[in-house]
């Protein structure tokens, strides 16, 4: 039976808290890290109804997408809905864990789950997250000393690429130099030109480890003044994580695609709103789980035929459509993000080996509860 800290570590590995937006509040909200977790309740919102559902089901952990305490608070007295929710969770021994914008951007996260639910192929992020900053170090060393130098570089953190370590490249060559007055050369004599069979060693390293790696190289190098080059590597923008998703679908019309969206999402009073010509051909789809109007400007010059998101406002949507760019499909915020919960449930079941019971809440916590259509 896993304990809470182990489940938190699992979620942090999948959805690193450091990737959350600066304004966000993610991670463990309540709960003892040493408590056992036998049942996990999954939901989009930590609303009072969801909290009551989790407590009633005997959950040890309520894992949600939206933060309960996003804005700063000075107390959680049971005189407010949020305070009552915290009190109920604590009394029941049910922990609360939030994965919000860190889950939005992750592989197998919220936007990825929505894209899978809509059948997008060949997906990629709309706005890839920056790759970890990398440097490349190139240094020449006498061939007999190359193995020791490579080992020192690896020990200092260089040569790690994905699931590989001790990665390096070498090329044989001839080094040339002349020691001047004041030098104490390892090879050669002062005033005499020298040639040495050398090996050029090249490694990639995290930029944050730059000083440590260079210091380790200098300490391990046999030369008094080792020659090396250190360059910053450009980000190719090919990361699998990032904001939103974009991908392809079989050619269809906007009206047919909107019907596919409606069928793929849980039903809500909001339904599916569409802006654009119903007969427009749709082949390429961009989307963003949750509120995505912040991406509208970048989509105008893209190649998407339609953009699926939530919470689109009147003026930004109207002005966007005036530019003859992608059509718009606006869906309920809760419904779009709910598609992530079954994905997360499967991941938890696989990672925890069936030792924990998981349940996905189907309570509709979208704030709009019904709609009234005007008579025609």
């Amino acid at each position: 039976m896993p304990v809470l800290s182990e489940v938190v570590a699992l979620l942090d590995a999948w959805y690193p808290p450091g990737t959350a937006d600066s304004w966000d509040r993610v991670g463990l909200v309540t709960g003892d890290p040493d408590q056992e977790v036998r049942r996990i309740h999954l939901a989009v919102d930590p609303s009072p109804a969801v909290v009551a559902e989790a407590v009633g089901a005997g959950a040890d952990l309520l894992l949600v997408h939206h933060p309960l305490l996003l804005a700063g608070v000075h107390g959680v007295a049971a005189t407010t809905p949020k305070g009552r929710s915290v009190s109920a969770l604590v009394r029941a021994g049910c922990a609360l864990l939030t994965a919000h914008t860190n889950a939005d951007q992750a592989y197998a996260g919220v936007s990825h789950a929505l894209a899978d639910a809509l059948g997008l192929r060949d997906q990629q992020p709309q706005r890839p997250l920056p790759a970890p900053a990398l440097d490349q170090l190139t240094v020449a060393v006498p061939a007999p000393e190359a193995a020791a130098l490579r080992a020192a570089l690896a020990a200092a953190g260089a040569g790690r690429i994905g699931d590989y370590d001790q990665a390096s490249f070498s090329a044989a060559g001839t080094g040339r130099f002349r020691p001047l007055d004041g030098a104490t050369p390892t090879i050669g004599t002062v005033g005499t030109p020298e040639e040495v069979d050398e090996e050029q060693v090249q490694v990639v390293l995290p930029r944050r480890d730059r000083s440590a790696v260079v210091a380790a190289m200098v300490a391990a190098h046999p030369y008094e003044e080792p020659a090396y080059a250190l360059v910053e590597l450009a980000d190719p923008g090919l990361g699998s994580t990032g904001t939103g998703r974009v991908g392809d679908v079989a050619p269809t019309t906007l009206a047919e695609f909107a019907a596919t969206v409606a069928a793929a999402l849980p039903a809500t009073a909001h339904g599916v709103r569409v802006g654009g010509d119903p007969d427009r051909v749709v082949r390429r789809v961009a989307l963003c789980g949750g509120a995505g109007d912040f991406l509208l400007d970048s989509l105008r010059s893209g190649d998407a035929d339609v953009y699926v998101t939530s919470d689109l406002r009147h003026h930004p949507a109207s002005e966007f459509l005036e530019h003859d760019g992608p059509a718009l499909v606006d869906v309920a915020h809760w419904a779009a993000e709910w598609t992530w919960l079954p994905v997360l449930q499967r991941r938890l079941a696989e990672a925890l080996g069936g030792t924990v019971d998981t349940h996905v809440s189907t309570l509709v916590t979208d704030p709009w509860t019904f709609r009234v259509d005007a008579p025609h």
Side-chain angles (χ1 to χ4, degrees):
M1 193 72 64
V3 296
L4 180 58
S5 61
E6 293 172 328
V7 179
V8 172
L10 196 61
L11 267 292
D12 286 352
W14 293 339
Y15 315 110
T19 63
D21 290 341
S22 59
W23 51 264
D24 204 4
R25 298 293 180 267
V26 301
L28 189 62
V29 181
T30 66
D32 181 352
D34 294 326
Q35 72 184 67
E36 288 188 343
V37 176
R38 298 175 297 276
R39 182 177 176 85
I40 301 176
H41 201 69
L42 307 175
V44 174
D45 297 295
S47 65
V50 167
V51 169
E53 182 183 55
V55 170
D60 303 295
L61 171 62
L62 174 57
L63 204 170
V64 295
H65 182 50
H66 291 145
L68 176 66
L69 305 173
L70 182 58
V73 298
H74 68 275
V76 287
T79 54
T80 66
K82 291 184 184 295
R84 287 191 289 275
S85 292
V86 171
S87 297
L89 290 168
V90 171
R91 282 197 305 270
C94 181
L96 177 63
L97 178 63
T98 300
H100 190 210
T101 52
N102 51 325
D104 284 334
Q105 304 182 94
Y107 185 85
V110 174
S111 287
H112 193 173
L114 177 59
D116 283 347
L118 301 186
L120 270 63
R121 305 186 306 266
D122 300 324
Q123 296 177 31
Q124 59 190 22
Q126 283 190 63
R127 185 184 292 172
L129 282 177
L134 298 175
D135 288 348
Q136 185 179 75
L137 173 66
T138 303
V139 57
V141 62
E145 311 294 334
L149 183 65
R150 288 195 299 269
L153 292 171
R160 180 68 184 261
I161 302 176
D163 294 329
Y164 297 82
D165 67 2
Q166 301 182 33
S168 67
F169 174 79
S170 296
T174 302
R176 299 175 181 85
F177 53 88
R178 184 177 67 158
L180 301 177
D181 289 342
T184 54
T186 303
I187 299 173
T189 57
V190 171
T192 302
E194 187 67 43
E195 290 190 356
V196 181
D197 291 332
E198 292 183 334
E199 187 173 311
Q200 189 180 69
V201 177
Q202 195 173 78
V203 291
V204 172
L205 59 131
R207 192 163 300 154
R208 65 176 183 272
D209 296 336
R210 174 188 291 176
S211 296
V213 170
V214 172
M217 180 272 295
V218 172
H221 204 289
Y223 286 171
E224 183 181 25
E225 297 286 351
Y228 66 92
L230 186 69
V231 298
E232 296 184 354
L233 299 182
D235 182 356
L238 300 176
S240 61
T241 62
T243 302
R245 306 291 285 182
V246 61
D248 300 323
V249 295
T252 185
T253 66
L254 179 60
E256 291 168 342
F257 176 74
T260 298
V261 173
L265 301 183
T268 62
H270 176 288
V272 175
R273 303 187 300 176
V274 185
D277 180 354
D279 296 323
R280 174 178 182 155
V281 176
V282 171
R283 296 185 178 87
R284 190 155 178 81
V285 178
L287 60 81
C288 180
D293 61 359
F294 67 98
L295 289 173
L296 287 176
D297 287 344
S298 63
L299 285 162
R300 285 179 180 171
S301 58
D303 59 354
D305 301 305
V306 63
Y307 179 45
V308 183
T309 191
S310 305
D311 302 341
L312 289 176
R313 295 168 293 157
H314 174 88
H315 292 296
S318 296
E319 293 170 3
F320 179 82
L321 292 172
E322 289 169 359
H323 287 267
D324 297 323
L328 294 175
V329 174
D330 184 275
V331 301
H333 191 126
W334 171 85
E337 295 180 333
W338 186 91
T339 59
W340 172 59
L341 301 182
V343 174
L344 180 57
Q345 182 184 37
R346 289 192 295 271
R347 295 190 82 181
L348 287 167
E350 293 170 1
L352 299 174
T355 59
V356 174
D357 183 26
T358 57
H359 181 264
V360 172
S361 175
T362 56
L363 281 177
V364 178
T365 52
D366 194 74
W368 311 112
T369 55
F370 69 94
R371 60 187 291 167
V372 178
D373 293 325
H376 297 290

